[in-house]
């Protein structure tokens, strides 16, 4: 029976900025705390941000496919907010529907990411990395917050004079984080000598279907990359009862397929 499904996703944000590096505002939080309410606050914020992200994505061109992970964006931008201050920090947290309490944000994301990455019947890895140009200083307090609360990698690269080496480093990290399933995420035109900060989030998932697909029912069917363009790919088929939603707000059809 065909019962193994693996998916990977990497989110890359390249910023052209002039910065003195993260300051990890309000750094004294006493370390991760065991407060379930913090995690629930973050979960609700991510859910609200999820709806807003999908509505925004559906407001543009609907003729092509789109893969979107609001959790990935929220996690990596929440990490950035820890190194921001003043109006910038407030704007990031407001956009993510997060509270203004950095300690609550860090604690909530720490609990959520720890829970997601916990060993279980499925393999799920959610990891973040921040690459900063060497011309910008990165305070140790930000590195501590990144590692302690987000289990994130913080590294400095020579984007100004050697962007090609930075591309190799970033691609190697993504490939390792996704068990070799995503290679060459960053192309030669993505990171240049003008780049000052690169944020990367990678997700790797592998699990067994709760109701396996029968491989004898697999046929080559059309997969549309837009409204008119398609390729023939092996397509699994099954008949059963599944949770389904026709979401008018998101203009989407949602189908739930459970894993073991």
């Amino acid at each position: 029976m065909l019962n193994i499904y693996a998916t990977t996703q990497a989110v890359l944000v390249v910023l052209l900025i002039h910065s003195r590096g993260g300051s990890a505002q309000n750094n004294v939080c006493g370390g991760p705390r065991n407060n379930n309410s913090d995690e629930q606050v973050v979960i609700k914020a991510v859910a609200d941000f999820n709806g807003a992200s999908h509505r925004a994505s559906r407001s543009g061109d609907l003729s092509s496919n789109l893969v979107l992970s609001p959790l990935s964006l929220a996690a990596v931008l929440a990490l950035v907010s820890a190194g921001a201050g003043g109006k910038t920090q407030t704007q990031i947290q407001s956009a993510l529907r997060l509270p203004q309490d950095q300690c609550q944000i860090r604690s909530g994301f720490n609990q959520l990411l720890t829970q997601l990455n916990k060993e279980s019947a499925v393999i799920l890895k959610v990891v973040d990395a921040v690459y900063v140009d060497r011309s910008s200083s990165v305070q140790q307090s930000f590195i501590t917050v990144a590692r302690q609360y987000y289990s994130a990698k913080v590294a400095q690269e020579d984007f100004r004079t050697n962007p090609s080496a930075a591309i190799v480093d970033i691609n190697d990290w993504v490939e390792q984080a996704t068990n070799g399933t995503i290679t060459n995420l960053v192309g030669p035109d993505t990171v240049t000598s003008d780049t000052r900060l690169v944020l990367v989030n990678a997700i790797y998932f592998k699990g067994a279907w709760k109701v396996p697909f029968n491989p004898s029912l697999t046929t080559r069917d059309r997969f549309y990359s837009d409204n008119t363009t398609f390729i023939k790919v092996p397509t699994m088929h099954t008949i059963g009862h599944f949770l389904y939603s026709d979401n008018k707000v998101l203009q989407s059809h949602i189908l739930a397929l459970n894993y073991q």
Side-chain angles (χ1 to χ4, degrees), residues 218-236:
T218 299
T219 59
R220 293 186 64 82
D221 287 334
R222 293 181 177 185
F223 178 85
Y224 285 85
S225 57
D226 56 39
N227 286 338
T228 57
T229 306
F230 67 87
I231 58 174
K232 287 289 190 73
V233 297
T235 304
M236 299 182 295

Side-chain angles (χ1 to χ4, degrees), residues 183-196:
T183 59
N184 300 320
L185 171 71
V186 183
D189 298 327
T190 306
V191 173
T192 69
S193 58
D194 293 323
T195 301
R196 295 296 173 264

Side-chain angles (χ1 to χ4, degrees), residues 3-4 30 73 86 101-102 105 107 111 129 137 171 189 200 236 249:
N3 64 352
I4 298 297
L73 292 172
D101 182 350
Q102 265 292 316
I105 294 172
S107 174
Q111 293 173 49
S137 62
N171 283 337
D189 298 327
V200 188
M236 299 182 295
V249 176

Side-chain angles (χ1 to χ4, degrees), residues 9-88:
Q9 175 175 304
V11 174
L12 176 71
V13 181
V14 180
L15 301 179
L16 311 181
I17 63 172
H18 298 283
S19 172
R20 295 182 179 178
S23 59
Q25 299 292 320
N26 305 319
N27 184 51
V28 181
C29 294
R33 55 194 187 190
N34 186 19
N35 188 338
N36 182 258
S37 63
D38 293 342
E39 182 181 9
Q40 293 305 313
V41 167
V42 167
I43 289 174
K44 184 181 185 306
V46 172
D48 292 342
F49 180 66
N50 174 43
S53 300
H54 279 287
R55 284 192 294 272
S57 68
R58 301 299 293 176
S59 64
D61 181 14
L62 303 181
S63 63
S64 60
N65 292 303
L66 173 68
V67 177
L68 179 65
S69 172
L71 171 62
S72 297
L73 292 172
V76 76
L77 290 175
L79 172 57
V80 171
S81 76
K87 187 176 181 180
T88 300

Side-chain angles (χ1 to χ4, degrees), residues 2-260:
L2 187 61
N3 64 352
I4 298 297
Y5 177 80
T7 184
T8 55
Q9 175 175 304
V11 174
L12 176 71
V13 181
V14 180
L15 301 179
L16 311 181
I17 63 172
H18 298 283
S19 172
R20 295 182 179 178
S23 59
Q25 299 292 320
N26 305 319
N27 184 51
V28 181
C29 294
R33 55 194 187 190
N34 186 19
N35 188 338
N36 182 258
S37 63
D38 293 342
E39 182 181 9
Q40 293 305 313
V41 167
V42 167
I43 289 174
K44 184 181 185 306
V46 172
D48 292 342
F49 180 66
N50 174 43
S53 300
H54 279 287
R55 284 192 294 272
S57 68
R58 301 299 293 176
S59 64
D61 181 14
L62 303 181
S63 63
S64 60
N65 292 303
L66 173 68
V67 177
L68 179 65
S69 172
L71 171 62
S72 297
L73 292 172
V76 76
L77 290 175
L79 172 57
V80 171
S81 76
K87 187 176 181 180
T88 300
Q89 186 183 70
T90 300
Q91 289 177 334
I92 294 174
Q93 292 168 187
S94 296
L96 297 177
R97 279 60 174 174
L98 291 168
Q100 294 303 311
D101 182 350
Q102 265 292 316
C103 292
Q104 187 175 39
I105 294 172
R106 297 172 194 176
S107 174
F109 268 103
N110 177 261
Q111 293 173 49
L112 176 58
L113 294 174
T114 299
Q115 182 70 20
L116 291 175
N117 288 310
K118 187 170 62 176
E119 290 187 11
S120 64
V122 301
I123 301 173
L124 176 62
K125 292 169 58 180
V126 183
V127 290
D128 298 302
V130 180
Y131 294 88
V132 185
D133 185 72
R134 289 178 181 170
S135 63
S136 300
S137 62
V138 181
Q139 294 188 13
Q140 183 59 45
S141 58
F142 175 74
I143 297 175
T144 299
V145 168
R147 292 174 178 172
Q148 185 175 26
Y149 292 93
Y150 297 89
S151 299
K153 175 180 179 178
V154 179
Q156 289 192 279
E157 297 286 348
D158 189 1
F159 292 124
R160 287 178 182 268
T161 62
N162 197 0
S164 58
I167 290 173
V168 171
D169 289 344
I170 296 171
N171 283 337
D172 285 349
W173 179 83
V174 171
E175 183 174 355
Q176 181 181 12
T178 60
N179 287 17
T181 55
I182 295 181
T183 59
N184 300 320
L185 171 71
V186 183
D189 298 327
T190 306
V191 173
T192 69
S193 58
D194 293 323
T195 301
R196 295 296 173 264
L197 176 67
V198 175
L199 312 175
V200 188
N201 171 281
I203 296 178
Y204 175 81
F205 174 84
K206 184 174 183 179
W209 295 110
K210 186 175 182 179
V211 180
F213 287 82
N214 188 336
S216 67
L217 300 179
T218 299
T219 59
R220 293 186 64 82
D221 287 334
R222 293 181 177 185
F223 178 85
Y224 285 85
S225 57
D226 56 39
N227 286 338
T228 57
T229 306
F230 67 87
I231 58 174
K232 287 289 190 73
V233 297
T235 304
M236 299 182 295
H237 294 266
T238 190
I239 298 176
H241 295 278
F242 304 96
L243 294 176
Y244 169 80
S245 173
D246 183 2
N247 193 302
K248 303 299 183 183
V249 176
L250 300 180
Q251 304 177 48
S252 302
H253 302 283
I254 303 172
L255 179 69
L257 295 175
N258 293 330
Y259 299 94
Q260 292 181 1

